Amino acid sequence: MPDGVNLSRRSLFRGRLSAPRPEVQLPWSVSWTDFVADCTRCGDCLTACPEQILVKGDGGFPTVDFQRGECTFCGECVSACQAPVFRPTTQTPWDYVAHIEAGCLASAQVFCQRCQDSCEQQAIRFSPQLGRVPTPSIHTESCNGCGACVADCPVGSIRVGAPHQGSST
């Protein structure tokens, strides 16, 4: 994508006044406004990610795709970037957490605990219920938002986003 593309004009033609903020930004990234202002969309972070979960999003800005895997918080995207769009990796990478949506197999009385099995932080727990399959909940204090559970969910009913947006705790 050419460096001279004016996103505000392009977005105006699409009916938007600014580049849309993705649900999940890159770990350690600055505010979306500052990120859009300084990101060159060069793709260095995309190629540096060993997990290959970073993809070009709207406007060519990098975003996270948890369908491709989990974030290991290795910091390679930060190291590869020459633009001032990241905070120091000594800080918390983000405050995103997993959310279990209504389409979860447990709500249909189908036994599945793949998300719990994939959660290294042990933030997903299943509570036994009399006469029903165990139901999942997210312990948001333990969840680091890595997204390992997202790709493992066979029905796609887990998303990662800001905390307290319909969180299942």
Side-chain angles (χ1 to χ4, degrees):
M1 176 168 279
D3 287 332
V5 173
N6 184 328
L7 285 179
S8 59
R9 282 190 187 164
R10 184 172 164 205
S11 294
L12 181 63
F13 288 122
R14 290 185 176 173
R16 294 187 302 249
L17 297 177
S18 63
R21 184 179 191 268
E23 188 168 357
V24 178
Q25 288 182 238
L26 275 58
W28 296 288
S29 61
V30 296
S31 73
W32 183 244
T33 305
D34 293 339
F35 190 89
V36 170
D38 292 328
C39 177
T40 63
R41 300 178 302 274
C42 66
D44 288 348
C45 59
L46 301 168
T47 56
C49 178
E51 304 304 323
Q52 300 293 297
I53 64 167
L54 302 184
V55 296
K56 280 192 181 236
D58 201 14
F61 292 102
T63 188
V64 179
D65 180 359
F66 288 123
Q67 290 300 323
R68 300 175 71 136
E70 69 182 283
C71 183
T72 59
F73 306 109
C74 66
E76 293 298 320
C77 55
V78 178
S79 299
C81 185
Q82 300 300 311
V85 295
F86 290 102
R87 299 177 286 112
T89 56
T90 55
Q91 297 177 7
T92 303
W94 55 36
D95 62 353
Y96 298 127
V97 294
H99 301 274
I100 299 172
E101 309 272 307
C104 176
L105 289 174
S107 65
Q109 294 304 299
V110 176
F111 185 84
C112 176
Q113 295 186 352
R114 286 180 62 176
C115 56
Q116 176 180 270
D117 295 342
S118 66
C119 183
E120 190 175 308
Q121 301 296 315
Q122 299 179 346
I124 301 175
R125 300 177 183 151
F126 280 78
S127 304
Q129 304 222 334
L130 190 58
R132 298 182 54 86
V133 299
T135 57
S137 63
I138 308 267
H139 187 254
T140 56
E141 290 78 27
S142 301
C143 182
N144 63 7
C146 72
C149 54
V150 174
D152 259 3
C153 180
V155 293
S157 64
I158 301 178
R159 68 175 180 79
V160 173
H164 311 300
Q165 291 181 352
S167 177
S168 303
T169 54

